Amino acid sequence: MSKSAELAALIQARAGAAPVRLGLILGSGLGHLAAAVQGVAIDYADLPGFPHAAVSGHDPKLVVGDLEGVRVAVFGGRAHYYETGNPAAMRLPLEVLKALGAEAVIATNAAGSMRADIRPGDLMLLSDHINFSGLNPLIGEPTEARFVPMTDAHDPALRARLRAAADAEGVALPEGVYAWYSGPSFETPAEIRAIRLLGGDAVGMSTVPEVILARFLGLRVAAISSVTNMAAGLGTERISHEHTKAMAPLGAVKLEKVLRRMLRGLGNDPI
Ligand code: HPA
């Protein structure tokens, strides 16, 4: 049995065998969404091979259960490239998600904005991304499946569902391009000017490897940023992880509204 199948069996033994439909990966300071799910929480430490996800502002638990009548798996912590130097650290969790039956995954993150119309406390739906790091979680993957097409990687139908849900909730959900910067240091103002020139709207230290891995595994994917600050050189606040954690919950409240509304409208349609 593969490692992901073994872990999926372990999770199903604790949380029930009904197939999961959607995965949610929670970014820094966005953890309270896990508490909204009625289900079973399993510490990553009980899931051999899961990342330690030790960054503060993350709660390294997998919660499997119901949100608005839809079976979801919520990853309370993610592994960032900057923790270990491994861009594929989220591969096993995503393989497990697939083995649990998921059709799709929504990644969330905290991000800095480079757009005057997207302010701290706002959400941004990723229309696309720029892999500013040059890293790739599929380096070393031996099969032909590694040549993953990334056109429409951010699933148009899932994005349309999320936009409609946001509209219905009166939550602004502008779309924009997210640039992945490796971190863990924040960007310099010159780097932000460069990323802006290259077409980025928001910048952050995660999500892109997960989008690549999800597409590799055949999971449909969307991602939402909770903007915690204007990017370096564009705002007056001092950028810090403390500030990120303090600001992210503003977006989390909106995120929960949008996700709940989207799931409520789902019925038996594909996500
Ligand atoms: N840059 C990178 N990552 C971030 C930022 C930022 O400005 N804000 C929150 N996460």
Side-chain angles (χ1 to χ4, degrees), residues 68-248:
E68 300 292 342
V70 178
R71 193 146 166 92
V72 297
V74 182
F75 296 84
R78 62 152 55 87
H80 304 83
Y81 168 73
Y82 63 71
E83 292 171 78
T84 60
N86 176 13
M90 286 301 284
R91 180 163 173 163
L92 182 65
L94 286 163
E95 284 173 345
V96 169
L97 180 65
K98 176 84 181 173
L100 290 171
E103 304 157 43
V105 58
I106 297 177
T108 65
N109 59 57
S113 171
M114 289 171 283
R115 265 200 14 214
D117 62 324
I118 303 180
R119 313 294 303 177
D122 290 348
L123 300 180
M124 186 188 92
L125 177 61
L126 278 62
S127 57
D128 203 345
H129 68 237
I130 298 173
N131 185 349
F132 198 67
S133 76
L135 300 159
N136 197 296
L138 296 176
I139 289 173
E141 163 61 34
T143 68
E144 293 277 299
R146 64 191 165 190
F147 299 115
V148 180
M150 293 296 287
T151 312
D152 283 340
H154 297 261
D155 192 83
L158 185 49
R159 278 159 48 206
R161 270 191 195 289
L162 288 164
R163 286 196 310 268
D167 266 0
E169 288 292 332
V171 171
L173 189 61
E175 287 200 320
V177 173
Y178 174 93
W180 175 32
Y181 184 86
S182 78
S185 60
F186 285 96
E187 305 75 29
T188 65
E191 285 162 346
I192 290 300
R193 285 194 298 276
I195 297 171
R196 183 76 189 119
L197 270 178
L198 292 175
D201 296 305
V203 62
M205 303 177 192
S206 69
T207 302
V208 168
E210 293 147 29
V211 173
I212 296 170
L213 287 164
R215 294 308 303 135
F216 170 67
L217 296 170
L219 290 162
R220 292 167 54 229
V221 57
I224 299 178
S225 292
S226 169
V227 170
T228 56
N229 55 279
M230 297 311 289
L234 301 179
T236 49
E237 75 265 67
R238 203 181 129 71
I239 298 172
S240 69
H241 187 56
E242 287 311 311
H243 185 264
T244 296
K245 286 188 294 181
M247 289 298 291

Side-chain angles (χ1 to χ4, degrees), residues 11-37:
I11 291 162
Q12 285 172 334
R14 284 179 58 175
V20 163
R21 298 197 59 197
L22 176 72
L24 284 172
I25 302 173
L26 303 183
S28 294
L30 299 171
H32 87 264
L33 257 172
V37 176

